[in-house]
Amino acid sequence: MKTAIVNLGPIVTGDWRDPYAKGDAILMSEGKITAIGSAPSLKDFDVVIDADGATAIPGLIDSQVHNTFGDWTPRQKTVGFLESYTHGGTTTAISASEVHVPGRPKDPEGVKALAVAAKKCFENFRPGGMRVHAGSIIMEPGLTEADFKEIAGKGVWLAKAGFGAVKTPYDYGPMIAWAKQHGMVTMVHTGGSSIPGSSGIWADHLIKIQPDVSFHVNGGPVAMPDEDFPRIVNESKIALQVCTAGNLRTTLLLWKLVKEAGQTDRYLIATDTPTGSGIMPLGMMYTITHLASLTDMPVETAIAAATGNNAKVYRLNGGFLRAGKDADVVILDACVGGSKKTALDALRNGDIAAVAGVITDGVPRFIGRSRNTPAPNRKVRVAECRIPMDFSGQAH
């Protein structure tokens, strides 16, 4: 499929250093962005979307989602939550490990099998067109370097610490080192314990065991003591992920510290849902609005923290509106009835924006209006379509 979005207003790149692209069109082919700028001829495109001056951003990357198997969450007893998240602009989800699978195994062979099975299931399952990076091995006592080598050879590239039956969080250190040695991205629960059997993890632990990412460093849902935050910013290079289902005050505190340290690339946005905090299809956007309206973080930087920054840390080809990147695009506008006229002004004002279209892999999943946001001011529409589609992502 060849898809073009034309008549765009601002094009936000996902790169906080160079936040806007020139032009008014995004061209896509075979699942990748081929050009950003202008569209001199549209005769070769299968689908042409008229954005009517609306804003384009990269698809949001939620780097902490509690998937299980299928589009189902046992914590909230709900089916279809991932597909609903696409209607909030999330086009990529990264597993926080399949820790919520009922009766999950805890022995080395079991946690390896669970990670491999989850990864392979989601390779063939795209809820709402979303890309789900599933299969994160849960670090448990008894795992050896050979185990990490084995599952890395089977394609598992995510590893999670924080729910294992270790005596102390320091015991995760060797497993994190083995996972890194075999090319895996390592994540660690941060803050107070969140479920029975888990333990609190604070700055001393993180600095010693050195994961790639501190999950919900703002609290998931309970935050570290305030005095730990300057230490984790200034005494490590760990990526610092804030989550909607965490502590808002420390989310804002962390931005102040990261900005002062010149470490914007380390600031990541995720939701940490579905958990006891619920299902939040607009969670990514809410955290963007909190940062853009309650701090001095530019709205373009907040968007980058939810897109390009996540892509860099997790080594993904998405997260940016650039030629050669995955063709995952969200069209935003200000909501009907709001006080602002553009999506970016609405986000700066603390309002959510209307999701007026989502494209993943260059395929329009829906165009015109999300079921989870108010209607957009602008009339985003399909101007031309040369193949039968219903614009919920299903070709006929």
Side-chain angles (χ1 to χ4, degrees):
M1 180 180 291
K2 297 182 71 174
T3 303
I5 310 173
V6 299
N7 197 18
L8 280 162
I11 300 175
V12 181
T13 64
D15 183 347
W16 62 272
R17 292 181 175 85
D18 185 18
Y20 293 102
K22 295 179 180 178
D24 63 357
I26 300 174
L27 310 182
M28 297 162 272
S29 179
E30 298 182 356
K32 298 290 186 286
I33 296 171
T34 56
I36 294 179
S38 61
S41 173
L42 298 171
K43 63 182 179 64
D44 294 329
F45 286 87
D46 301 304
V47 179
V48 178
I49 299 164
D50 184 343
D52 192 30
T55 300
I57 68 169
L60 301 174
I61 300 171
D62 189 341
S63 56
Q64 189 173 355
V65 173
H66 283 280
N67 58 282
T68 54
F69 285 97
D71 197 353
W72 170 63
T73 165
R75 286 290 292 272
Q76 297 300 328
K77 303 185 186 303
T78 300
V79 174
F81 80 94
L82 288 168
E83 188 268 341
S84 191
Y85 279 38
T86 65
H87 279 257
T90 297
T91 61
T92 298
I94 298 173
S95 174
S97 81
E98 289 69 33
V99 69
H100 295 304
V101 168
R104 74 161 179 94
K106 298 182 181 181
D107 61 291
E109 289 304 314
V111 294
K112 288 190 295 182
L114 178 61
V116 172
K119 180 185 186 300
K120 291 187 178 295
C121 284
F122 277 98
E123 286 174 354
N124 302 302
F125 179 47
R126 300 285 299 272
M130 176 188 288
R131 194 187 321 268
V132 181
H133 294 290
S136 175
I137 186 168
I138 302 165
M139 296 184 190
E140 290 281 6
L143 287 169
T144 66
E145 181 189 348
D147 292 318
F148 288 97
K149 181 179 180 180
E150 176 191 346
I151 59 166
K154 295 177 179 178
V156 174
W157 59 278
L158 298 168
K160 170 71 179 294
F163 295 112
V166 295
K167 293 180 180 179
T168 167
Y170 295 117
D171 294 342
Y172 289 121
M175 289 185 275
I176 288 171
W178 293 332
K180 285 183 174 183
Q181 181 180 336
H182 292 287
M184 304 174 78
V185 178
T186 58
M187 304 89 71
V188 175
H189 172 97
T190 303
S193 61
S194 61
I195 63 174
S198 64
S199 62
I201 298 177
W202 297 279
D204 283 339
H205 302 122
L206 293 167
I207 292 167
K208 178 68 174 179
I209 64 180
Q210 288 294 307
D212 293 297
V213 185
S214 167
F215 261 7
H216 48 63
V217 70
N218 63 317
V222 180
M224 301 185 295
D226 280 9
E227 55 267 27
D228 279 19
F229 284 87
R231 293 193 59 209
I232 197 64
V233 171
N234 298 311
E235 297 178 33
S236 82
K237 297 298 182 183
I238 300 167
L240 305 171
Q241 179 201 77
V242 299
C243 289
T244 314
N247 181 316
L248 176 58
R249 184 185 63 81
T250 57
T251 298
L252 309 183
L253 167 66
L254 182 67
W255 165 245
K256 178 177 182 293
L257 296 171
V258 165
K259 180 186 176 186
E260 290 171 352
Q263 298 291 312
T264 299
D265 283 328
R266 293 168 60 195
Y267 198 98
L268 313 181
I269 290 175
T271 66
D272 185 24
T273 61
T275 53
S277 300
I279 295 167
M280 302 182 72
L282 298 176
M284 295 292 287
M285 199 183 305
Y286 275 120
T287 299
I288 290 170
T289 68
H290 295 157
L291 289 160
S293 64
L294 299 176
T295 74
D296 60 357
M297 180 184 278
V299 66
E300 304 88 349
T301 300
I303 291 169
T307 56
N309 285 9
N310 274 321
K312 287 180 181 177
V313 169
Y314 286 92
R315 312 168 197 163
L316 305 179
N317 193 51
F320 297 95
L321 296 186
R322 291 178 183 157
K325 297 296 184 179
D326 293 335
D328 297 345
V329 184
V330 174
I331 303 172
L332 295 180
D333 193 24
C335 296
V336 165
S339 63
K340 303 301 177 184
K341 302 302 181 185
T342 70
L344 299 181
D345 282 345
L347 294 170
R348 291 186 189 101
N349 194 52
D351 298 324
I352 61 167
V355 179
V358 167
I359 298 94
T360 67
D361 286 336
V363 178
R365 305 301 177 175
F366 64 88
I367 299 298
R369 180 173 179 176
S370 160
R371 69 168 182 262
N372 289 330
T373 66
N377 282 318
R378 292 167 173 79
K379 302 299 181 184
V380 179
R381 64 186 181 89
V382 177
E384 190 165 354
C385 181
R386 297 186 173 92
I387 57 176
M389 291 192 69
D390 63 9
F391 296 100
S392 63
Q394 302 298 317
H396 298 298

